[in-house]
Amino acid sequence: MKRALLDESPDQLGAWLTEQGFPPFHARQVYHWVFERRAEDFSTMSDLPKALRGAFGADWEVFSTHVTRHHVAPDGTEKLLLSCSDGRRIECVLMAEEDRRTVCISSQVGCGMGCVFCASGLKGVERNLTKGELVEQVLRLRNLLPAGERLTNLVVMGMGESLANFDPLIAALDWICSPSGLGFGQRRVTISTVGLPERMRKLAALDRQYHLAVSLHAPTEELRNQLVPINERVGLRDVIEAADAYFHRSGRQVTFEYVLLRGINDRPLDASALGDLLQRRKAHVNVIPYNPVPGLPFERPSDEAIRRFVSVVRGKGVSVSVRKTKGREIDAACGQLRRSEAVVQPEAAVAPVI
Ligand code: SAH
């Protein structure tokens, strides 16, 4: 099997070059081609010696995934369904809005958190994505942009629990944010987590500037236990404390995501309890009107119920925004494309890996 360029480092590539009798400085050139010049194949790297391009092509691959589906929605949202080298599938999305170009990437194949309303976790987690597979999603989407356009934002809000795949995720994000990667600002990266307190504290201790979004979805332990089963193990209170700790250490305001489910967590008393919980914190609430998943018994609240919820939370002095739904026509949300594809073409049976 060929070695995946993005799963290794410039030093590892340099060592291989030395072994093959080439100067190691070509490693920097190769990564420059991939990150800056959008090369997807060694044969296009025109300033490398021809023999070296051939040697690379024999032993290495730039991308380890291939594009199985490329959907473009009427609103311009683009979604890629990628097949990994083991046949597993992941999805990632590019959204364009005014001067923003945002990519949303997956962190795992499937998800082990089991949030009851979410399509990604229906079959559990299959495996973590590698550093290279994470970086690759960003580069493949970036390469869809017209020449000269740059990505402005990166969110880890696709399939999977981001902080359950901690080291590869941080390695990938750090690389993307480094000058030898895409030179992306850490503050333009959002890591969304179900709320794993120990991992949130570990992230705080790294002293990065990544923006943290915590999927709260309920203002009380009881309701959160029902919607986010992992809460029975971690507890809402510790999630909030870890979010506070992240804010104090990084200085970055934490966002709390709140999926609004009709008749379940959208009542005025839920809004009021949420407002009370977050009132004295420098926090922001991002309300996500539910994107219905076929086969699951949840519904999106009416626009009126959404407005009412927001105004009660805001009335408590908490900053709130409502997330716009993008790319609905192409199943762009949350593990849905992979799932609808699976009906047509069942995925290989695989043992789950935590
Ligand atoms: N594991 C991470 C990333 C999940 S996806 C986390 O839990 O934050 C990002 C957000 O979308 C999460 O808040 C998740 O709960 C939410 N989500 C999942 N399915 C959804 C759906 N069908 N409609 C709306 N939001 C959904």
Side-chain angles (χ1 to χ4, degrees):
M1 205 155 96
K2 290 185 182 176
R3 289 169 73 172
L5 194 65
L6 298 170
D7 272 316
E8 309 215 17
S9 64
D11 283 350
Q12 286 167 308
L13 185 59
W16 177 86
L17 283 160
T18 307
E19 261 168 45
Q20 302 289 314
F22 294 103
F25 72 80
H26 288 308
R28 250 184 302 123
Q29 254 177 315
V30 167
Y31 286 108
H32 181 79
W33 268 104
V34 175
F35 281 97
E36 288 293 320
R37 305 183 69 177
R38 304 188 180 190
E40 298 191 0
D41 205 300
F42 294 103
S43 62
T44 62
M45 301 181 184
S46 52
D47 57 0
L48 295 182
K50 212 162 176 198
L52 179 55
R53 276 182 263 163
F56 271 132
D59 282 13
W60 292 81
E61 54 195 2
V62 174
F63 287 154
S64 70
T65 64
H66 67 265
V67 179
T68 295
R69 282 276 191 295
H70 177 187
H71 288 272
V72 183
D75 68 4
T77 302
E78 298 193 50
K79 179 152 188 164
L80 296 177
L81 184 67
L82 302 177
S83 296
C84 300
S85 52
D86 63 0
R88 289 180 168 99
R89 293 184 173 177
I90 52 174
E91 43 187 57
C92 51
V93 184
L94 170 67
M95 293 162 282
E97 204 173 22
E98 285 153 28
D99 49 4
R100 275 183 173 224
R101 300 289 175 272
T102 303
V103 293
C104 173
I105 63 168
S106 294
S107 55
Q108 300 181 304
V109 184
C111 183
M113 299 299 113
C115 300
V116 294
F117 50 81
C118 175
S120 300
L122 289 173
K123 290 200 286 176
V125 63
E126 295 176 19
R127 71 169 169 85
N128 283 327
L129 295 182
T130 65
K131 173 184 76 169
E133 288 165 338
L134 293 161
V135 173
E136 203 163 313
Q137 293 175 67
V138 177
L139 293 179
R140 281 206 178 274
L141 292 166
R142 187 278 312 265
N143 293 356
L144 299 176
L145 291 175
E149 265 189 30
R150 299 174 71 85
L151 294 178
T152 61
N153 297 77
L154 163 56
V155 300
V156 188
M157 292 189 184
M159 226 193 315
E161 168 45 36
S162 49
L163 298 186
N165 186 16
F166 196 91
D167 292 340
L169 179 70
I170 299 304
L173 296 180
D174 285 352
W175 198 2
I176 288 161
C177 291
S178 74
S180 62
L182 289 181
F184 221 81
Q186 291 185 352
R187 301 170 77 94
R188 293 181 170 274
V189 175
T190 299
I191 301 175
S192 180
T193 176
V194 72
L196 303 177
E198 193 196 309
R199 299 288 172 93
M200 290 160 69
R201 293 192 178 95
K202 187 172 163 183
L203 181 64
L206 293 180
D207 286 327
R208 304 294 197 271
Q209 282 287 295
Y210 298 128
H211 176 209
L212 190 64
V214 179
S215 294
L216 204 59
H217 305 329
T220 62
E221 296 285 0
E222 198 189 3
L223 186 55
R224 195 165 195 265
N225 285 344
Q226 286 170 27
L227 300 178
V228 182
I230 192 81
N231 192 62
E232 286 183 21
R233 276 198 263 160
V234 297
L236 175 60
R237 188 178 303 181
D238 202 22
V239 172
I240 300 274
E241 273 176 26
D244 287 346
Y246 191 81
F247 168 66
H248 288 304
R249 178 91 181 216
S250 67
R252 305 241 36 215
Q253 175 174 286
V254 172
T255 293
F256 291 96
E257 292 159 288
Y258 195 102
V259 170
L260 218 50
L261 306 162
R262 180 190 291 228
I264 293 182
N265 64 355
D266 66 339
R267 300 160 300 178
L269 72 94
D270 299 314
S272 173
L274 182 66
D276 289 340
L277 182 67
L278 300 179
Q279 207 161 40
R280 287 173 309 280
R281 302 191 150 80
K282 194 165 160 42
H284 177 78
V285 174
N286 192 211
V287 167
I288 316 173
Y290 185 58
N291 221 312
V293 175
L296 294 185
F298 300 100
E299 289 168 353
R300 180 193 187 97
S302 65
D303 289 349
E304 179 49 35
I306 297 170
R307 262 197 300 275
R308 195 181 53 212
F309 188 91
V310 166
S311 84
V312 172
V313 179
R314 204 167 271 153
K316 296 271 181 182
V318 177
S319 112
V320 195
S321 56
V322 179
R323 188 176 302 171
K324 275 196 228 146
T325 304
K326 304 217 69 164
R328 201 185 316 201
E329 301 82 354
I330 56 167
D331 288 335
C334 320
Q336 297 192 10
L337 174 61
R338 173 173 169 270
R339 189 153 172 266
S340 61
E341 283 285 309
V343 177
V344 186
Q345 203 176 347
E347 278 153 62
V350 280
V353 181
I354 307 266

Short mmCIF file of all heavy atoms in Angstrom, two decimals, residues 77 79 81 90-93 95 104-106 108 110-111 115 117-122 156-160 192 215 217 257 259 288-294 296 323-328 330-340:
data_model
loop_
_atom_site.label_atom_id
_atom_site.label_comp_id
_atom_site.label_asym_id
_atom_site.label_seq_id
_atom_site.Cartn_x
_atom_site.Cartn_y
_atom_site.Cartn_z
N THR A 77 -24.02 25.25 -1.46
CA THR A 77 -23.34 24.35 -0.52
C THR A 77 -22.86 23.10 -1.26
O THR A 77 -23.61 22.51 -2.03
CB THR A 77 -24.31 23.93 0.61
OG1 THR A 77 -24.78 25.11 1.25
CG2 THR A 77 -23.64 23.03 1.62
N LYS A 79 -21.05 19.26 -1.03
CA LYS A 79 -20.78 18.19 -0.08
C LYS A 79 -20.03 17.06 -0.78
O LYS A 79 -20.40 16.64 -1.88
CB LYS A 79 -22.09 17.66 0.47
CG LYS A 79 -21.91 16.51 1.45
CD LYS A 79 -23.04 16.49 2.42
CE LYS A 79 -22.79 15.50 3.52
NZ LYS A 79 -23.65 15.69 4.67
N LEU A 81 -18.73 13.13 -0.45
CA LEU A 81 -18.73 11.85 0.24
C LEU A 81 -17.41 11.20 -0.18
O LEU A 81 -17.18 10.96 -1.37
CB LEU A 81 -19.93 11.01 -0.20
CG LEU A 81 -20.10 9.67 0.51
CD1 LEU A 81 -20.44 9.86 1.98
CD2 LEU A 81 -21.20 8.84 -0.15
N ILE A 90 -16.79 8.93 4.64
CA ILE A 90 -16.95 10.12 5.48
C ILE A 90 -17.48 11.25 4.62
O ILE A 90 -17.40 11.20 3.39
CB ILE A 90 -15.61 10.55 6.12
CG1 ILE A 90 -14.51 10.70 5.06
CG2 ILE A 90 -15.20 9.53 7.17
CD1 ILE A 90 -13.23 11.26 5.62
N GLU A 91 -18.05 12.24 5.29
CA GLU A 91 -18.58 13.36 4.51
C GLU A 91 -18.08 14.67 5.06
O GLU A 91 -17.78 14.80 6.25
CB GLU A 91 -20.10 13.30 4.52
CG GLU A 91 -20.69 12.99 5.87
CD GLU A 91 -22.19 12.77 5.80
OE1 GLU A 91 -22.62 11.88 5.05
OE2 GLU A 91 -22.91 13.48 6.51
N CYS A 92 -17.98 15.64 4.16
CA CYS A 92 -17.53 16.97 4.56
C CYS A 92 -18.20 17.98 3.63
O CYS A 92 -18.62 17.64 2.53
CB CYS A 92 -16.02 17.07 4.52
SG CYS A 92 -15.26 16.53 2.98
N VAL A 93 -18.32 19.22 4.11
CA VAL A 93 -19.17 20.21 3.45
C VAL A 93 -18.45 21.55 3.32
O VAL A 93 -17.74 21.96 4.23
CB VAL A 93 -20.47 20.41 4.27
CG1 VAL A 93 -21.43 21.35 3.57
CG2 VAL A 93 -21.17 19.08 4.55
N MET A 95 -19.42 25.54 2.67
CA MET A 95 -20.53 26.49 2.63
C MET A 95 -20.01 27.87 2.29
O MET A 95 -18.98 28.30 2.83
CB MET A 95 -21.21 26.54 4.02
CG MET A 95 -21.90 25.24 4.38
SD MET A 95 -22.25 25.09 6.16
CE MET A 95 -20.64 24.66 6.81
N CYS A 104 -16.80 22.21 6.83
CA CYS A 104 -17.22 21.41 7.98
C CYS A 104 -16.69 20.00 7.77
O CYS A 104 -16.99 19.38 6.75
CB CYS A 104 -18.75 21.41 8.07
SG CYS A 104 -19.40 20.29 9.33
N ILE A 105 -15.89 19.53 8.71
CA ILE A 105 -15.27 18.20 8.51
C ILE A 105 -15.74 17.21 9.58
O ILE A 105 -16.18 17.58 10.66
CB ILE A 105 -13.72 18.28 8.52
CG1 ILE A 105 -13.18 18.77 9.86
CG2 ILE A 105 -13.23 19.17 7.38
CD1 ILE A 105 -11.67 18.59 10.01
N SER A 106 -15.60 15.93 9.25
CA SER A 106 -15.91 14.85 10.18
C SER A 106 -14.66 14.48 10.96
O SER A 106 -13.54 14.64 10.46
CB SER A 106 -16.39 13.62 9.42
OG SER A 106 -17.62 13.88 8.78
N GLN A 108 -14.69 11.35 12.96
CA GLN A 108 -14.69 9.89 13.09
C GLN A 108 -15.60 9.28 12.02
O GLN A 108 -16.44 9.99 11.46
CB GLN A 108 -15.26 9.46 14.46
CG GLN A 108 -14.50 9.98 15.66
CD GLN A 108 -15.11 9.51 16.97
OE1 GLN A 108 -16.29 9.74 17.23
NE2 GLN A 108 -14.31 8.86 17.80
N GLY A 110 -18.74 7.32 11.79
CA GLY A 110 -19.79 7.06 12.78
C GLY A 110 -19.54 7.88 14.03
O GLY A 110 -18.70 8.80 14.03
N CYS A 111 -20.24 7.55 15.10
CA CYS A 111 -20.05 8.29 16.35
C CYS A 111 -20.52 7.40 17.49
O CYS A 111 -21.51 6.67 17.35
CB CYS A 111 -20.86 9.58 16.34
SG CYS A 111 -20.62 10.60 17.82
N CYS A 115 -26.34 10.43 20.66
CA CYS A 115 -27.38 11.46 20.82
C CYS A 115 -28.62 11.00 20.05
O CYS A 115 -28.52 10.60 18.88
CB CYS A 115 -26.89 12.81 20.30
SG CYS A 115 -25.40 13.38 21.18
N PHE A 117 -31.19 12.07 18.58
CA PHE A 117 -31.79 12.72 17.41
C PHE A 117 -30.85 12.75 16.21
O PHE A 117 -31.19 13.27 15.16
CB PHE A 117 -32.15 14.17 17.78
CG PHE A 117 -30.99 14.87 18.44
CD1 PHE A 117 -29.98 15.42 17.67
CD2 PHE A 117 -30.89 14.94 19.82
CE1 PHE A 117 -28.89 16.02 18.27
CE2 PHE A 117 -29.79 15.55 20.43
CZ PHE A 117 -28.80 16.09 19.64
N CYS A 118 -29.64 12.22 16.37
CA CYS A 118 -28.58 12.43 15.36
C CYS A 118 -28.38 11.21 14.47
O CYS A 118 -28.37 10.07 14.95
CB CYS A 118 -27.28 12.78 16.09
SG CYS A 118 -25.86 12.94 15.01
N ALA A 119 -28.18 11.46 13.17
CA ALA A 119 -28.02 10.36 12.21
C ALA A 119 -26.64 9.70 12.30
O ALA A 119 -26.49 8.51 12.00
CB ALA A 119 -28.24 10.89 10.79
N SER A 120 -25.63 10.46 12.73
CA SER A 120 -24.25 9.94 12.68
C SER A 120 -24.02 8.77 13.61
O SER A 120 -23.19 7.92 13.35
CB SER A 120 -23.26 11.03 13.05
OG SER A 120 -23.35 12.11 12.18
N GLY A 121 -24.74 8.77 14.74
CA GLY A 121 -24.43 7.77 15.76
C GLY A 121 -25.31 6.54 15.72
O GLY A 121 -25.22 5.67 16.58
N LEU A 122 -26.16 6.45 14.69
CA LEU A 122 -27.14 5.37 14.69
C LEU A 122 -26.50 3.99 14.68
O LEU A 122 -27.06 3.03 15.20
CB LEU A 122 -28.09 5.52 13.49
CG LEU A 122 -29.07 6.70 13.61
CD1 LEU A 122 -29.85 6.88 12.31
CD2 LEU A 122 -30.02 6.51 14.77
N VAL A 156 -15.37 21.74 13.05
CA VAL A 156 -15.34 20.30 13.20
C VAL A 156 -16.71 19.91 13.75
O VAL A 156 -16.91 19.76 14.95
CB VAL A 156 -14.19 19.84 14.12
CG1 VAL A 156 -14.07 18.31 14.09
CG2 VAL A 156 -12.88 20.49 13.74
N MET A 157 -17.67 19.84 12.84
CA MET A 157 -19.07 19.61 13.21
C MET A 157 -19.71 18.56 12.33
O MET A 157 -20.93 18.50 12.21
CB MET A 157 -19.88 20.91 13.09
CG MET A 157 -19.51 21.96 14.10
SD MET A 157 -20.67 23.31 14.04
CE MET A 157 -19.92 24.42 15.22
N GLY A 158 -18.89 17.76 11.67
CA GLY A 158 -19.45 16.70 10.85
C GLY A 158 -19.69 15.47 11.71
O GLY A 158 -20.00 15.57 12.90
N MET A 159 -19.50 14.31 11.08
CA MET A 159 -19.72 13.07 11.80
C MET A 159 -18.66 12.89 12.88
O MET A 159 -17.49 13.24 12.70
CB MET A 159 -19.53 11.94 10.79
CG MET A 159 -20.58 10.88 10.84
SD MET A 159 -20.02 9.47 9.89
CE MET A 159 -19.38 10.19 8.44
N GLY A 160 -19.06 12.31 14.02
CA GLY A 160 -18.07 11.92 15.03
C GLY A 160 -17.98 12.85 16.21
O GLY A 160 -18.43 13.99 16.16
N SER A 192 -16.41 21.41 17.77
CA SER A 192 -17.69 21.15 18.44
C SER A 192 -17.60 19.82 19.17
O SER A 192 -17.19 18.81 18.59
CB SER A 192 -18.81 21.11 17.40
OG SER A 192 -20.04 20.84 18.02
N SER A 215 -22.11 21.04 22.76
CA SER A 215 -23.49 20.66 22.44
C SER A 215 -24.26 20.40 23.73
O SER A 215 -24.18 19.32 24.29
CB SER A 215 -23.48 19.40 21.57
OG SER A 215 -22.89 19.70 20.33
N HIS A 217 -27.88 21.22 24.46
CA HIS A 217 -29.18 20.66 24.06
C HIS A 217 -30.24 20.56 25.15
O HIS A 217 -31.39 20.23 24.85
CB HIS A 217 -29.03 19.28 23.41
CG HIS A 217 -28.08 19.25 22.25
ND1 HIS A 217 -27.88 20.33 21.42
CD2 HIS A 217 -27.28 18.26 21.77
CE1 HIS A 217 -26.98 20.00 20.49
NE2 HIS A 217 -26.61 18.77 20.67
N GLU A 257 -24.23 24.92 21.89
CA GLU A 257 -25.18 24.58 20.84
C GLU A 257 -26.43 23.98 21.48
O GLU A 257 -26.33 23.25 22.48
CB GLU A 257 -24.55 23.57 19.87
CG GLU A 257 -23.41 24.16 19.05
CD GLU A 257 -22.49 23.09 18.52
OE1 GLU A 257 -21.73 22.50 19.31
OE2 GLU A 257 -22.53 22.83 17.30
N VAL A 259 -29.80 22.11 19.97
CA VAL A 259 -30.67 21.63 18.91
C VAL A 259 -32.11 21.75 19.40
O VAL A 259 -32.44 21.24 20.47
CB VAL A 259 -30.38 20.16 18.56
CG1 VAL A 259 -31.45 19.60 17.64
CG2 VAL A 259 -29.03 20.02 17.91
N ILE A 288 -29.95 25.55 17.09
CA ILE A 288 -29.96 24.84 15.80
C ILE A 288 -31.33 24.21 15.61
O ILE A 288 -31.63 23.18 16.23
CB ILE A 288 -28.89 23.72 15.76
CG1 ILE A 288 -27.56 24.19 16.35
CG2 ILE A 288 -28.72 23.19 14.35
CD1 ILE A 288 -26.51 23.08 16.49
N PRO A 289 -32.20 24.81 14.79
CA PRO A 289 -33.49 24.17 14.54
C PRO A 289 -33.24 22.77 13.96
O PRO A 289 -32.41 22.62 13.06
CB PRO A 289 -34.16 25.10 13.52
CG PRO A 289 -33.47 26.41 13.70
CD PRO A 289 -32.04 26.07 14.05
N TYR A 290 -33.92 21.79 14.48
CA TYR A 290 -33.66 20.40 14.12
C TYR A 290 -33.84 20.16 12.62
O TYR A 290 -34.78 20.63 11.99
CB TYR A 290 -34.60 19.48 14.90
CG TYR A 290 -34.32 18.01 14.68
CD1 TYR A 290 -33.08 17.49 14.99
CD2 TYR A 290 -35.30 17.15 14.20
CE1 TYR A 290 -32.80 16.15 14.80
CE2 TYR A 290 -35.04 15.80 14.03
CZ TYR A 290 -33.78 15.31 14.33
OH TYR A 290 -33.51 13.97 14.14
N ASN A 291 -32.90 19.39 12.09
CA ASN A 291 -32.94 18.96 10.71
C ASN A 291 -33.46 17.53 10.72
O ASN A 291 -32.73 16.64 11.10
CB ASN A 291 -31.48 18.94 10.24
CG ASN A 291 -31.33 19.47 8.87
OD1 ASN A 291 -32.07 19.09 7.98
ND2 ASN A 291 -30.35 20.33 8.71
N PRO A 292 -34.71 17.31 10.35
CA PRO A 292 -35.30 15.98 10.56
C PRO A 292 -34.50 14.86 9.90
O PRO A 292 -33.98 15.02 8.80
CB PRO A 292 -36.69 16.11 9.91
CG PRO A 292 -36.98 17.56 9.94
CD PRO A 292 -35.66 18.26 9.75
N VAL A 293 -34.38 13.75 10.61
CA VAL A 293 -33.68 12.57 10.11
C VAL A 293 -34.74 11.51 9.83
O VAL A 293 -35.49 11.14 10.74
CB VAL A 293 -32.69 12.04 11.18
CG1 VAL A 293 -32.04 10.73 10.73
CG2 VAL A 293 -31.64 13.08 11.51
N PRO A 294 -34.83 11.03 8.59
CA PRO A 294 -35.84 10.03 8.28
C PRO A 294 -35.74 8.84 9.24
O PRO A 294 -34.65 8.35 9.52
CB PRO A 294 -35.50 9.61 6.84
CG PRO A 294 -34.72 10.75 6.28
CD PRO A 294 -33.98 11.37 7.44
N LEU A 296 -36.43 8.89 12.43
CA LEU A 296 -36.35 9.30 13.84
C LEU A 296 -37.56 10.18 14.18
O LEU A 296 -38.01 10.97 13.36
CB LEU A 296 -35.04 10.06 14.12
CG LEU A 296 -33.75 9.25 13.99
CD1 LEU A 296 -32.54 10.10 14.40
CD2 LEU A 296 -33.80 7.98 14.82
N ARG A 323 -28.89 29.15 14.03
CA ARG A 323 -28.12 28.68 12.88
C ARG A 323 -29.02 28.49 11.67
O ARG A 323 -30.09 27.89 11.77
CB ARG A 323 -27.42 27.37 13.21
CG ARG A 323 -26.46 26.96 12.09
CD ARG A 323 -25.70 25.72 12.43
NE ARG A 323 -24.93 25.88 13.66
CZ ARG A 323 -24.30 24.87 14.27
NH1 ARG A 323 -24.34 23.67 13.77
NH2 ARG A 323 -23.63 25.09 15.37
N LYS A 324 -28.53 28.99 10.55
CA LYS A 324 -29.28 28.80 9.31
C LYS A 324 -29.02 27.39 8.80
O LYS A 324 -27.92 26.87 8.91
CB LYS A 324 -28.77 29.77 8.24
CG LYS A 324 -29.43 31.12 8.33
CD LYS A 324 -29.17 31.88 7.04
CE LYS A 324 -28.68 33.28 7.36
NZ LYS A 324 -27.74 33.81 6.43
N THR A 325 -30.03 26.79 8.23
CA THR A 325 -29.85 25.47 7.64
C THR A 325 -29.31 25.66 6.24
O THR A 325 -29.87 26.42 5.46
CB THR A 325 -31.19 24.74 7.57
OG1 THR A 325 -31.72 24.71 8.88
CG2 THR A 325 -31.02 23.32 7.06
N LYS A 326 -28.22 24.96 5.91
CA LYS A 326 -27.67 25.07 4.57
C LYS A 326 -27.65 23.70 3.92
O LYS A 326 -27.43 22.69 4.58
CB LYS A 326 -26.25 25.64 4.61
CG LYS A 326 -26.19 26.99 5.31
CD LYS A 326 -25.21 27.91 4.65
CE LYS A 326 -25.68 28.35 3.31
NZ LYS A 326 -25.06 29.47 2.73
N GLY A 327 -27.86 23.69 2.63
CA GLY A 327 -27.66 22.44 1.88
C GLY A 327 -28.64 21.33 2.20
O GLY A 327 -28.33 20.16 2.07
N ARG A 328 -29.85 21.71 2.62
CA ARG A 328 -30.80 20.67 3.02
C ARG A 328 -31.11 19.70 1.86
O ARG A 328 -31.28 18.51 2.06
CB ARG A 328 -32.10 21.33 3.48
CG ARG A 328 -32.90 20.40 4.35
CD ARG A 328 -34.24 20.98 4.73
NE ARG A 328 -34.15 22.38 5.13
CZ ARG A 328 -35.08 22.98 5.86
NH1 ARG A 328 -36.10 22.30 6.28
NH2 ARG A 328 -34.99 24.24 6.16
N ILE A 330 -29.26 18.49 -0.25
CA ILE A 330 -28.24 17.47 -0.55
C ILE A 330 -27.88 16.66 0.70
O ILE A 330 -26.80 16.12 0.81
CB ILE A 330 -26.97 18.10 -1.17
CG1 ILE A 330 -26.39 19.19 -0.26
CG2 ILE A 330 -27.24 18.64 -2.56
CD1 ILE A 330 -24.99 19.63 -0.64
N ASP A 331 -28.80 16.62 1.66
CA ASP A 331 -28.52 15.89 2.90
C ASP A 331 -27.23 16.36 3.54
O ASP A 331 -26.43 15.55 4.02
CB ASP A 331 -28.40 14.37 2.63
CG ASP A 331 -29.74 13.74 2.33
OD1 ASP A 331 -30.76 14.28 2.77
OD2 ASP A 331 -29.75 12.69 1.65
N ALA A 332 -27.02 17.69 3.52
CA ALA A 332 -25.72 18.17 4.00
C ALA A 332 -25.56 18.05 5.51
O ALA A 332 -24.48 18.17 6.03
CB ALA A 332 -25.51 19.62 3.58
N ALA A 333 -26.66 17.79 6.23
CA ALA A 333 -26.53 17.83 7.68
C ALA A 333 -26.16 16.49 8.28
O ALA A 333 -26.77 15.47 8.00
CB ALA A 333 -27.84 18.32 8.29
N CYS A 334 -25.11 16.52 9.09
CA CYS A 334 -24.94 15.56 10.17
C CYS A 334 -25.10 14.09 9.80
O CYS A 334 -25.99 13.40 10.30
CB CYS A 334 -25.94 15.88 11.28
SG CYS A 334 -26.14 17.63 11.61
N GLY A 335 -24.26 13.58 8.97
CA GLY A 335 -24.26 12.14 8.72
C GLY A 335 -25.38 11.66 7.82
O GLY A 335 -25.62 10.47 7.68
N GLN A 336 -26.09 12.61 7.19
CA GLN A 336 -27.28 12.20 6.45
C GLN A 336 -27.00 11.70 5.04
O GLN A 336 -27.70 10.84 4.54
CB GLN A 336 -28.29 13.34 6.41
CG GLN A 336 -28.75 13.68 7.82
CD GLN A 336 -29.95 14.60 7.81
OE1 GLN A 336 -30.55 14.83 6.78
NE2 GLN A 336 -30.28 15.13 8.96
N LEU A 337 -25.95 12.28 4.41
CA LEU A 337 -25.66 11.83 3.04
C LEU A 337 -25.15 10.39 3.07
O LEU A 337 -25.60 9.53 2.34
CB LEU A 337 -24.61 12.74 2.38
CG LEU A 337 -24.14 12.26 1.02
CD1 LEU A 337 -25.30 12.21 0.03
CD2 LEU A 337 -23.04 13.17 0.47
N ARG A 338 -24.23 10.16 3.99
CA ARG A 338 -23.65 8.83 4.10
C ARG A 338 -24.76 7.82 4.37
O ARG A 338 -24.78 6.72 3.84
CB ARG A 338 -22.64 8.84 5.25
CG ARG A 338 -22.04 7.52 5.63
CD ARG A 338 -20.98 7.79 6.65
NE ARG A 338 -20.49 6.59 7.30
CZ ARG A 338 -21.01 6.07 8.40
NH1 ARG A 338 -22.08 6.62 8.92
NH2 ARG A 338 -20.49 5.01 8.94
N ARG A 339 -25.73 8.22 5.15
CA ARG A 339 -26.81 7.32 5.50
C ARG A 339 -27.72 7.06 4.30
O ARG A 339 -28.12 5.94 4.03
CB ARG A 339 -27.59 7.93 6.65
CG ARG A 339 -28.58 6.98 7.23
CD ARG A 339 -28.83 7.30 8.67
NE ARG A 339 -29.94 6.49 9.13
CZ ARG A 339 -31.20 6.90 9.13
NH1 ARG A 339 -31.49 8.11 8.71
NH2 ARG A 339 -32.14 6.10 9.55
N SER A 340 -28.04 8.13 3.55
CA SER A 340 -28.94 7.90 2.43
C SER A 340 -28.25 7.09 1.34
O SER A 340 -28.87 6.33 0.63
CB SER A 340 -29.49 9.23 1.90
OG SER A 340 -28.45 10.04 1.43
#
